[in-house]
Amino acid sequence: MNDPGLDDAIDENAKKVQREIQDEEQVEANDEQTFLNPSRWWFASTAFPLLAGTFGPMASAFSVCALVQNWRVIVPRDGATPIEQKDPQWLLAINAISLALALTSNLCLLLNMARRLSFSVAQPITIVGWYIASVLLIALVCETEVELKFSADQVRDLTQAFYYAIIAAILYFIIATLMVFTVYGAYRGEYPKEFELTMSQRTLMLQTISYMVYLLGGAAIFARVEKWKFADAVYWANFTLLTVGIGDFVPVTHLGRSLLFPYGIGGIVILGLVIGSIRSMVLERGKKKLGSRMIEKKRERILKKMNKNGEAEKLTPVSSEQAAREAGMSEQERRKEEFLLMRKIQKKASQKQKWTALLISSWAWFFLWLMGAFAFYKFEIKQGWTYFQSLYFAYTSLLAIGYGDFSPASNPGKPFFVFWSLLAVPTLTILISNMGDTVIAGIRDLTLYLGEYTVLPGEASIKDRLKQHASKVTHGKAFSNGPGPTMDEPPGFSGVGEKGQDEDQEKGNNNQLARAAATDHMAKFLEKEELAEASAAEDRGDRLSSDIHMHHFLLIKELRNVMKHVNETPPRKYSYEEWTWYLKLIGEDESASSTHRKAPIKVGTTEKGTMQQGGGQTSASNDAGDLEEGEEEEVKEEEKGKEAWSW
C-alpha cells in the first residue's frame, strides 16, 4: 500500500542523506587539497575551529567552577578549618557576565559550524565574546590578588575557584586568537567563509560538550549528597571518570555509593566515545594528510635534485624512435622507471611519517609528564613533595594507575590536575596509536617471525618462508615469484594508508561490500550479454561491433576483479604490468607519449599558490600548460573519474 505522505518523507530523507554524503566527500577533497598547499592553511580552516569548538566548552565548564564558589578564605592562625569569605556582588556579577559571553560565543560557533548562522555574523560575536570574557576574568583575578596582598590584618588564601578562573581566562584568550587566524585566512580568500567539518569532527565537539556537562552534573549531585564543596566534587568526578582513582575523596553515604554505579559506567562510555573520535579523526584522517604532504615534499626534492644533476631528460617523454635511441630506453621503460620511483617515494615517506608522528607524540607526552610534575612540585610544596615524588605521581596518574599514596591537596593543585588530566586523554591516545604503527608493530612481527620457526610453525615449509623473507628484504629481486611486500592501501596518489580504520570508514566498507556483491552479481549477466553480442556481431561479419562488445566484456571482467581487490586484506599491490593493462583498457597506452596523460615536471606554484599536480598518475612528465586548447578541460573531466587509479 502506497502512502503519499510516507513517500514524501522517505524521499526527503533520502535526498538529505545523499546531500550529507556529497558534502562529506567534498569536504574531504577540499581538505586534502588545502593540506597539500605549502602555506598550510588547513590548520586555520579546520584544525583551529575544531580546537576552539573543543576547548571552548571546557573553558566554560571551568568558568562555572569559578562562579559557584567563593574566591577567598580566611585561614585561622591556630590551623583550624579555613572559613570562606563571601565574594562581593560586583565580582559575582562580572563573573556571571563573563560566563554568559563565553556561552554565547560557544553557541554562535556551533551554529556557524552547523550552517545555521552565517560566518560574517557568528565569528565577530564568537571572537569578541571570548576576548571580553577573558579580559573580565583577568581583571577580577588581578583585583583579587591586589586586595589579598594589602590585607595584613588576617591570614587569607585563595580557593580553587580563583585558579579555575585563571585557567578559563587563558583558554578563552587562546581559542579567540586561533579564531582570529581562521577569519583572517577566510577573508584572504584561502578557503571559503564557512566551516567544512566532517561528521567525525562535529561528533568530537558534541561528545566533548556531553562529557563536560556529564562531569559537572555528576559533581553537583555528589557535592550535595556527600556534603562536598563543588570544586572538590569536580576534582573527584574527574579522577573517577578517567579511572585514575586517587582515593583522597570517596563516597561514604549509601546513596552516594549507589549513584556511583550508573554514574561511573556512563562516564566511561562517554569517555570511550571521545577517545574513539580522537583516534578516528586526528589519527586516521590526520595521518593521511600528513602522509600526503610528506610524499609531495619528497617528490619535490627528488625533482629538484634530478634537475640540478642534469637528469631531467629521464622525465621527458620519448616521442619517436630516434628519441628512444638517444635516451637509451623506450617510453614504456621510462614510464616504468617513473612508476617504481614513485613507489619508492611513497614507501620512504610512509615510514618517515610514522616515525615522525611517534616522535612528536612522544615529545608531547614527555612534555606533559615533566611539566606537570614540575607544576605539582611547586603547588604541593607545603606537603614537602620532591620533584621525583611529583614525577612519580604524574606518571601513575597519566597511565591511570592511581595508587593513591600521593594526591594534590593545595587549592591550585586540584584545578591544575583536572585540566592537566583532561589534556592527557588525547595525548596518550595518540601516543599509543603511533606506537602501534611502529614499535608495537615491530615487536608483533618479530614475535610472529620467531614463532614460525619455533613453537607455532605455519602451513608453509621453512624453505618457503625463507624465500618469502628474502623476497621481502630484497623487494622482490630474489625469489620474485613469492609474495612480495604489500602496500597499506590500494594505489592512490597519497600512497599512505592505515591498517586501522575509523568508524566512518568501517560503515563505508560494510556498504561497499554490499554494493560489491550486488555489482558482481549484475556484472556476470553483463559479461555473458556482451560476449554473446560480440559473437553475434562476428558471425554477421561486423568486426567493429564485435570489437566494441569484446572491449565492453573485458572492461566488465576487469572491473569485477578490481572490486574483489578492493576488499582484499591486506590491500592488493599492483605491478606495473597490471597498471599498464588497466590504463590501456581506459584508452591510455603507456608505450606512447601521445596516448597517456601528461603531468607537470616543474616544481613550483600556480597562480593560486597550490602545487602543480599530475592527473591520475603522479609522474613528472610534461607541464599541464603544454596541453592544447580544449584538451585541458577533457583531462580535468577524466581526472574526476580516474582519481582512484593514481599511484
Side-chain angles (χ1 to χ4, degrees), residues 565-585:
H565 297 164
V566 169
N567 299 317
E568 286 183 1
T569 302
R572 185 181 182 86
K573 177 179 179 180
Y574 293 95
S575 66
Y576 177 72
E577 287 70 23
E578 291 175 311
W579 189 258
T580 55
W581 167 243
Y582 289 137
L583 290 177
K584 195 169 185 178
L585 286 177

Side-chain angles (χ1 to χ4, degrees), residues 82-159:
I83 303 172
E84 286 194 7
Q85 183 180 9
K86 189 175 182 180
D87 292 331
Q89 293 297 320
W90 59 267
L91 189 147
L92 293 175
I94 296 177
N95 202 348
I97 292 173
S98 174
L99 176 60
L101 290 172
L103 292 175
T104 303
S105 298
N106 282 320
L107 180 61
C108 288
L109 180 62
L110 291 176
L111 290 176
N112 185 205
M113 290 180 174
R115 300 181 183 178
R116 298 292 188 272
L117 196 62
S118 66
F119 186 90
S120 58
V121 174
Q123 290 313 304
I125 297 176
T126 299
I127 294 173
V128 173
W130 274 334
Y131 270 131
I132 295 178
S134 176
V135 170
L136 291 178
L137 287 178
I138 292 173
L140 292 179
V141 167
C142 293
E143 192 280 334
T144 304
E145 276 283 1
V146 170
E147 183 180 349
L148 185 67
K149 289 180 179 179
F150 286 91
S151 299
D153 54 334
Q154 41 189 333
V155 180
R156 297 188 184 181
D157 198 2
L158 299 170
T159 65

Side-chain angles (χ1 to χ4, degrees), residues 22 118 165 249 460:
Q22 292 175 352
S118 66
F249 283 86

Side-chain angles (χ1 to χ4, degrees), residues 499-607:
K499 296 179 181 179
Q501 296 178 332
D502 57 19
E503 297 175 0
D504 295 338
Q505 290 173 324
E506 289 177 359
K507 293 179 181 178
N509 286 343
N510 292 334
N511 295 334
Q512 190 179 40
L513 288 173
R515 290 195 300 267
T519 302
D520 186 68
H521 182 70
M522 290 168 43
K524 291 180 182 179
F525 295 98
L526 291 175
E527 280 187 28
K528 295 179 180 179
E529 182 180 347
E530 291 294 340
L531 195 57
E533 292 284 350
S535 300
E538 187 174 0
D539 293 339
R540 295 193 308 266
D542 189 352
R543 184 62 182 271
L544 178 60
S545 179
S546 175
D547 290 344
I548 291 174
H549 287 293
M550 184 58 68
H551 185 240
H552 291 172
F553 167 75
L554 289 174
L555 281 175
I556 297 171
K557 181 179 179 181
E558 293 301 339
L559 282 173
R560 288 183 61 198
N561 291 334
V562 171
M563 289 296 293
K564 295 175 183 177
H565 297 164
V566 169
N567 299 317
E568 286 183 1
T569 302
R572 185 181 182 86
K573 177 179 179 180
Y574 293 95
S575 66
Y576 177 72
E577 287 70 23
E578 291 175 311
W579 189 258
T580 55
W581 167 243
Y582 289 137
L583 290 177
K584 195 169 185 178
L585 286 177
I586 59 176
E588 295 186 13
D589 190 353
E590 290 286 281
S591 61
S593 60
S594 60
T595 56
H596 62 68
R597 279 181 293 168
K598 303 173 183 178
I601 183 175
K602 294 182 180 179
V603 179
T605 58
T606 63
E607 293 179 358

Side-chain angles (χ1 to χ4, degrees), residues 357-641:
L358 177 62
L359 180 64
I360 294 174
S361 57
S362 299
W363 180 88
W365 188 86
F366 274 101
F367 178 81
L368 193 67
W369 176 32
L370 298 177
M371 294 305 297
F374 181 78
F376 288 121
Y377 168 67
K378 290 296 184 180
F379 292 150
E380 303 302 323
I381 192 170
K382 291 184 179 180
Q383 293 194 73
W385 283 16
T386 64
Y387 184 67
F388 178 79
Q389 290 173 329
S390 300
L391 279 175
Y392 168 78
F393 167 75
Y395 184 82
T396 55
S397 298
L398 278 177
L399 298 185
I401 298 174
Y403 288 125
D405 47 348
F406 288 90
S407 61
S410 64
N411 287 334
K414 292 177 181 178
F416 177 78
F417 176 83
V418 173
F419 174 65
W420 174 80
S421 58
L422 290 175
L423 290 181
V425 172
T427 306
L428 191 60
T429 301
I430 295 172
L431 175 62
I432 293 175
S433 179
N434 289 331
M435 290 181 64
D437 291 339
T438 51
V439 179
I440 297 177
I443 296 175
R444 178 198 61 202
D445 294 341
L446 179 62
T447 303
L448 293 176
Y449 178 80
L450 294 176
E452 288 181 352
Y453 294 97
T454 53
V455 295
L456 294 173
E459 296 181 359
S461 64
I462 295 179
K463 181 179 179 181
D464 291 337
R465 287 198 296 272
L466 290 175
K467 287 183 177 181
Q468 292 174 8
H469 291 302
S471 177
K472 186 175 181 179
V473 171
T474 60
H475 304 288
K477 294 180 180 179
F479 308 105
S480 58
N481 56 342
T486 58
M487 292 179 64
D488 285 337
E489 66 178 16
F493 171 71
S494 66
V496 179
E498 309 303 332
K499 296 179 181 179
Q501 296 178 332
D502 57 19
E503 297 175 0
D504 295 338
Q505 290 173 324
E506 289 177 359
K507 293 179 181 178
N509 286 343
N510 292 334
N511 295 334
Q512 190 179 40
L513 288 173
R515 290 195 300 267
T519 302
D520 186 68
H521 182 70
M522 290 168 43
K524 291 180 182 179
F525 295 98
L526 291 175
E527 280 187 28
K528 295 179 180 179
E529 182 180 347
E530 291 294 340
L531 195 57
E533 292 284 350
S535 300
E538 187 174 0
D539 293 339
R540 295 193 308 266
D542 189 352
R543 184 62 182 271
L544 178 60
S545 179
S546 175
D547 290 344
I548 291 174
H549 287 293
M550 184 58 68
H551 185 240
H552 291 172
F553 167 75
L554 289 174
L555 281 175
I556 297 171
K557 181 179 179 181
E558 293 301 339
L559 282 173
R560 288 183 61 198
N561 291 334
V562 171
M563 289 296 293
K564 295 175 183 177
H565 297 164
V566 169
N567 299 317
E568 286 183 1
T569 302
R572 185 181 182 86
K573 177 179 179 180
Y574 293 95
S575 66
Y576 177 72
E577 287 70 23
E578 291 175 311
W579 189 258
T580 55
W581 167 243
Y582 289 137
L583 290 177
K584 195 169 185 178
L585 286 177
I586 59 176
E588 295 186 13
D589 190 353
E590 290 286 281
S591 61
S593 60
S594 60
T595 56
H596 62 68
R597 279 181 293 168
K598 303 173 183 178
I601 183 175
K602 294 182 180 179
V603 179
T605 58
T606 63
E607 293 179 358
K608 294 183 179 180
T610 56
M611 292 304 302
Q612 294 183 2
Q613 300 287 346
Q617 295 153 276
T618 319
S619 65
S621 343
N622 283 347
D623 195 311
D626 295 337
L627 294 175
E628 297 179 0
E629 186 177 357
E631 190 178 348
E632 184 175 356
E633 293 298 326
E634 182 182 350
V635 170
K636 289 181 179 178
E637 292 298 324
E638 290 178 355
E639 287 175 2
K640 292 180 181 178

